[in-house]
């Protein structure tokens, strides 16, 4: 997960802009009457997200009309406020959509750190939480894979919350991504979550849930192959005694640049710690 500062946008003002020109007029009137309810829901969301407790907002589910139907009634109009009045190219709220998307670090997905951020994901899905459909702090720039794998699931428990790029920066105070290096005959790498003993249990459980839900091993594992082949060539130019130091420096550099739980930092940590790799394995597959 990549940390992004919480959007500096007022939820009520965003909702007001998106709905001020809504058609038909009957829908616009009903939507504009909900400004206070939307602002209140956004404030509750902010408090809950800061406490890792979005699962407690069950009283907002299917509100205000209690209907879970996707298209009908005022809940349908609220969901449509996102799709037609914020995402649509010529809609009143499109500038907000573009601003939120532009905050993706280097244009990358905030949930996996790898994919291209070309959509916004509702941290709490709009189908279940229509009042939060255009709440800026509920909209995160992501890739389409993460958006798809996260799906329409609302968190069922405190542990079943994926990480939130606006609220969960403390997750990077701990090193929890580990690369496993297999070999001989050739090095093969896989990534997994191994929380340290001093990591709070809830945060550790959420990291596991995030990693599993978004299928991040599937995304990170294939990155290691080209990196190992590139590394093999550059390491063979070094004196053997310099290899461990070089790998540790690379691990520190990646941790400083991409974070301690980037696949690159995890890979270089694991390679530096692997005596078979640093003595002989790095020569594969080129020797
Ligand atoms: Zn992604």
């Amino acid at each position: 997960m990549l940390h992004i500062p919480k959007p500096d946008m007022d939820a009520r003002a965003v909702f007001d802009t998106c709905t001020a020109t809504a058609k038909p007029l009957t829908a616009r009137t009903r939507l504009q009457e909900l400004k206070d309810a939307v602002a209140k829901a956004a404030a509750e969301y902010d408090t809950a997200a800061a406490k890792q407790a979005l699962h407690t907002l069950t009283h907002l589910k299917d509100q205000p009309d209690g209907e879970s139907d996707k298209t009908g009634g005022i809940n349908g109009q609220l969901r449509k406020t996102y799709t037609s009045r914020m995402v649509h190219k010529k809609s009143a709220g499109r500038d907000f959509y573009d601003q939120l998307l532009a905050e993706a670090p280097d244009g990358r997905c905030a949930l996996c750190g790898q994919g291209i951020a070309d959509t916004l994901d509702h941290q709490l899905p709009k189908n279940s939480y229509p009042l939060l459909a255009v709440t800026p702090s509920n909209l995160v720039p992501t890739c389409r894979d993460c958006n798809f794998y996260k799906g329409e699931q609302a968190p069922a428990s405190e542990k079943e919350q994926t990480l939130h790029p606006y609220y969960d920066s403390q997750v990077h105070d701990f090193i929890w991504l580990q690369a496993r290096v297999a070999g001989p005959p050739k090095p093969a790498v896989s990534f997994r979550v191994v929380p340290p003993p001093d990591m709070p249990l809830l945060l550790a459980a959420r990291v596991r849930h995030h990693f599993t839900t978004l299928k991040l091993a599937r995304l990170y594992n294939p990155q290691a192959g080209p990196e190992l082949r590139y590394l093999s060539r550059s390491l063979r130019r070094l004196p053997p005694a310099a290899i461990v130091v070089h790998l540790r420096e690379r691990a520190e550099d990646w941790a400083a640049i991409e974070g301690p739980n980037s696949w690159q930092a995890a890979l270089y940590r694991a390679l530096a710690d692997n005596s078979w790799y640093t003595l002989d394995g790095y020569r594969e597959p080129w020797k």
Side-chain angles (χ1 to χ4, degrees):
M1 181 206 82
L2 304 176
H3 172 63
I4 303 177
K6 193 167 63 171
D8 185 20
M9 294 180 189
D10 179 64
R12 183 190 177 97
V14 170
F15 180 78
D16 188 26
T17 301
C18 291
T19 57
T21 54
K23 294 176 182 172
L25 187 58
T26 49
R28 183 191 311 173
T29 305
R30 276 289 281 128
L31 287 166
Q32 291 265 297
E33 287 170 357
L34 289 173
K35 279 190 274 190
D36 287 344
V38 166
K40 185 167 180 281
E44 290 179 2
Y45 176 96
D46 187 50
T47 303
K51 291 195 281 190
Q52 303 187 68
L54 285 180
H55 66 292
T56 62
L57 297 179
T58 49
H59 59 285
L60 294 178
K61 266 191 178 176
D62 298 327
Q63 294 305 307
D65 72 4
E67 295 292 330
S68 58
D69 178 72
K70 291 181 183 178
T71 53
I74 193 62
N75 280 3
Q77 285 294 336
L78 284 166
R79 295 176 187 115
K80 195 177 167 186
T81 298
Y82 176 72
T83 52
S84 300
R85 298 161 189 140
M86 187 186 234
V87 180
H88 195 273
K89 287 279 184 193
K90 293 180 180 174
S91 65
R94 179 68 192 202
D95 282 353
F96 297 122
Y97 181 90
D98 289 337
Q99 284 175 45
L100 290 165
L101 206 52
E103 291 302 315
D106 300 319
R108 289 178 297 161
C109 171
L111 295 181
C112 67
Q114 292 291 305
I116 298 166
D118 52 9
T119 190
L120 295 180
D121 178 73
H122 288 79
Q123 184 77 14
L124 288 183
K126 67 180 185 307
N127 282 342
S128 299
Y129 296 87
L131 284 171
L132 298 167
V134 295
T135 295
S137 52
N138 191 39
L139 297 170
V140 176
T142 66
C143 69
R144 297 205 178 259
D145 276 359
C146 284
N147 187 254
F148 173 77
Y149 288 129
K150 193 164 157 294
E152 294 293 330
Q153 295 173 28
S157 70
E158 61 177 0
K159 294 179 179 177
E160 293 175 88
Q161 302 175 80
T162 51
L163 299 173
H164 198 317
Y166 300 149
Y167 292 90
D168 293 324
S169 62
Q170 75 275 23
V171 78
H172 295 312
D173 295 341
F174 305 90
I175 296 176
W176 42 262
L177 186 65
Q178 191 179 84
R180 189 163 36 186
V181 180
K186 290 184 180 180
V189 176
S190 58
F191 294 89
R192 58 184 180 165
V193 172
V194 183
D198 62 335
M199 190 171 186
L201 291 177
L202 172 56
L203 202 55
R206 291 186 60 209
V207 167
R208 288 185 193 281
H209 179 73
H210 186 92
F211 196 80
T212 305
T213 301
L214 301 177
K215 303 185 189 303
L216 295 187
R218 160 196 160 276
L219 188 61
Y220 296 164
N221 291 349
Q223 308 288 340
E227 187 75 13
L228 286 173
R229 290 193 289 278
Y230 161 83
L231 191 56
S232 176
R233 294 176 72 90
S234 63
L235 290 182
R236 280 184 294 136
R237 297 191 192 104
L238 293 177
I243 284 175
V244 173
V245 172
H246 178 78
L247 292 170
R248 294 212 189 286
E249 286 175 352
R250 296 283 290 262
E252 287 173 18
D253 290 344
W254 277 117
I257 293 166
E258 280 288 294
N261 299 296
S262 60
W263 68 263
Q264 296 97 328
L267 173 63
Y268 280 91
R269 280 195 300 269
L271 293 175
D273 288 342
N274 188 294
S275 56
W276 164 71
Y277 180 81
T278 55
L279 283 172
D280 191 48
Y282 70 89
R283 298 175 194 280
E284 298 286 352
W286 304 100
K287 73 178 179 184

Short mmCIF file of all heavy atoms in Angstrom, two decimals, residues 29 69 101 104 108 121 125 134 140 154 170 183 205 211-212 218 234-235:
data_model
loop_
_atom_site.label_atom_id
_atom_site.label_comp_id
_atom_site.label_asym_id
_atom_site.label_seq_id
_atom_site.Cartn_x
_atom_site.Cartn_y
_atom_site.Cartn_z
N THR A 29 -33.90 17.83 -6.19
CA THR A 29 -34.45 18.34 -4.93
C THR A 29 -34.22 17.35 -3.80
O THR A 29 -33.77 17.72 -2.71
CB THR A 29 -35.96 18.61 -5.09
OG1 THR A 29 -36.14 19.50 -6.21
CG2 THR A 29 -36.54 19.25 -3.84
N ASP A 69 -31.47 -2.18 -3.47
CA ASP A 69 -31.58 -2.20 -4.93
C ASP A 69 -30.62 -1.18 -5.53
O ASP A 69 -30.48 -0.07 -5.04
CB ASP A 69 -33.02 -1.88 -5.34
CG ASP A 69 -33.16 -1.83 -6.85
OD1 ASP A 69 -33.11 -2.89 -7.48
OD2 ASP A 69 -33.28 -0.72 -7.39
N LEU A 101 -7.75 11.28 -8.67
CA LEU A 101 -6.95 10.34 -9.45
C LEU A 101 -5.51 10.84 -9.59
O LEU A 101 -4.55 10.05 -9.57
CB LEU A 101 -7.58 10.18 -10.83
CG LEU A 101 -7.34 8.89 -11.59
CD1 LEU A 101 -7.67 7.66 -10.75
CD2 LEU A 101 -8.17 8.87 -12.87
N ALA A 104 -2.49 9.82 -7.22
CA ALA A 104 -1.83 8.50 -7.25
C ALA A 104 -0.33 8.69 -7.40
O ALA A 104 0.12 9.36 -8.34
CB ALA A 104 -2.38 7.68 -8.42
N ARG A 108 0.54 5.46 -9.93
CA ARG A 108 0.38 4.04 -9.59
C ARG A 108 -0.75 3.83 -8.58
O ARG A 108 -1.06 4.69 -7.77
CB ARG A 108 1.68 3.49 -9.01
CG ARG A 108 2.77 3.35 -10.05
CD ARG A 108 4.05 2.86 -9.41
NE ARG A 108 4.55 3.80 -8.43
CZ ARG A 108 5.42 3.48 -7.48
NH1 ARG A 108 5.85 2.25 -7.37
NH2 ARG A 108 5.86 4.39 -6.65
N ASP A 121 -11.46 3.62 -6.37
CA ASP A 121 -12.13 2.55 -5.64
C ASP A 121 -12.83 3.13 -4.42
O ASP A 121 -12.26 3.97 -3.72
CB ASP A 121 -11.11 1.50 -5.18
CG ASP A 121 -11.78 0.40 -4.38
OD1 ASP A 121 -12.49 -0.42 -4.98
OD2 ASP A 121 -11.61 0.38 -3.13
N PRO A 125 -18.00 0.24 -0.25
CA PRO A 125 -18.66 0.22 -1.58
C PRO A 125 -19.92 1.07 -1.62
O PRO A 125 -20.71 1.09 -0.68
CB PRO A 125 -18.98 -1.27 -1.77
CG PRO A 125 -18.88 -1.90 -0.43
CD PRO A 125 -17.93 -1.09 0.37
N VAL A 134 -19.84 9.76 -3.10
CA VAL A 134 -18.89 10.76 -3.62
C VAL A 134 -18.11 11.43 -2.49
O VAL A 134 -17.59 12.55 -2.65
CB VAL A 134 -19.59 11.83 -4.51
CG1 VAL A 134 -20.16 11.19 -5.77
CG2 VAL A 134 -20.68 12.58 -3.75
N VAL A 140 -10.37 6.17 -3.51
CA VAL A 140 -8.91 5.94 -3.54
C VAL A 140 -8.49 5.60 -4.97
O VAL A 140 -9.11 4.74 -5.61
CB VAL A 140 -8.55 4.76 -2.60
CG1 VAL A 140 -7.07 4.45 -2.69
CG2 VAL A 140 -8.95 5.09 -1.17
N ALA A 154 -18.06 -5.21 1.85
CA ALA A 154 -17.94 -4.30 2.99
C ALA A 154 -17.24 -5.07 4.10
O ALA A 154 -17.40 -6.29 4.21
CB ALA A 154 -19.32 -3.85 3.45
N GLN A 170 0.62 4.12 9.39
CA GLN A 170 1.40 3.47 10.46
C GLN A 170 1.81 2.04 10.08
O GLN A 170 2.69 1.47 10.72
CB GLN A 170 0.61 3.47 11.79
CG GLN A 170 -0.52 2.48 11.89
CD GLN A 170 -1.83 3.00 11.30
OE1 GLN A 170 -1.83 3.89 10.46
NE2 GLN A 170 -2.96 2.43 11.72
N GLY A 183 16.35 -22.23 -3.74
CA GLY A 183 17.48 -22.60 -4.59
C GLY A 183 18.50 -23.32 -3.74
O GLY A 183 18.43 -23.17 -2.51
N ALA A 205 -3.28 -8.39 11.18
CA ALA A 205 -4.37 -9.14 10.54
C ALA A 205 -4.86 -8.41 9.29
O ALA A 205 -5.16 -9.03 8.26
CB ALA A 205 -5.52 -9.33 11.53
N PHE A 211 -3.23 -8.27 1.68
CA PHE A 211 -2.35 -9.02 0.78
C PHE A 211 -3.11 -10.16 0.08
O PHE A 211 -2.93 -10.40 -1.11
CB PHE A 211 -1.18 -9.59 1.60
CG PHE A 211 -0.01 -10.05 0.78
CD1 PHE A 211 0.92 -9.14 0.28
CD2 PHE A 211 0.17 -11.39 0.51
CE1 PHE A 211 2.01 -9.57 -0.47
CE2 PHE A 211 1.27 -11.83 -0.23
CZ PHE A 211 2.18 -10.92 -0.73
N THR A 212 -3.96 -10.84 0.84
CA THR A 212 -4.71 -11.97 0.29
C THR A 212 -5.83 -11.50 -0.64
O THR A 212 -5.99 -12.00 -1.75
CB THR A 212 -5.31 -12.81 1.44
OG1 THR A 212 -4.27 -13.18 2.32
CG2 THR A 212 -6.01 -14.04 0.91
N ARG A 218 0.54 -12.81 -6.39
CA ARG A 218 0.39 -13.02 -7.83
C ARG A 218 1.00 -11.85 -8.61
O ARG A 218 1.53 -12.01 -9.70
CB ARG A 218 -1.11 -13.15 -8.13
CG ARG A 218 -1.53 -12.90 -9.55
CD ARG A 218 -3.03 -12.69 -9.61
NE ARG A 218 -3.43 -12.00 -10.81
CZ ARG A 218 -3.40 -10.68 -10.97
NH1 ARG A 218 -2.98 -9.91 -10.00
NH2 ARG A 218 -3.79 -10.14 -12.10
N SER A 234 25.09 -7.75 -12.97
CA SER A 234 25.81 -6.66 -12.29
C SER A 234 26.64 -7.20 -11.12
O SER A 234 27.74 -6.70 -10.87
CB SER A 234 24.83 -5.57 -11.83
OG SER A 234 23.94 -6.07 -10.90
N LEU A 235 26.17 -8.23 -10.41
CA LEU A 235 26.93 -8.75 -9.27
C LEU A 235 28.22 -9.44 -9.72
O LEU A 235 29.22 -9.42 -9.00
CB LEU A 235 26.08 -9.74 -8.45
CG LEU A 235 24.92 -9.15 -7.64
CD1 LEU A 235 24.21 -10.24 -6.86
CD2 LEU A 235 25.39 -8.04 -6.70
#
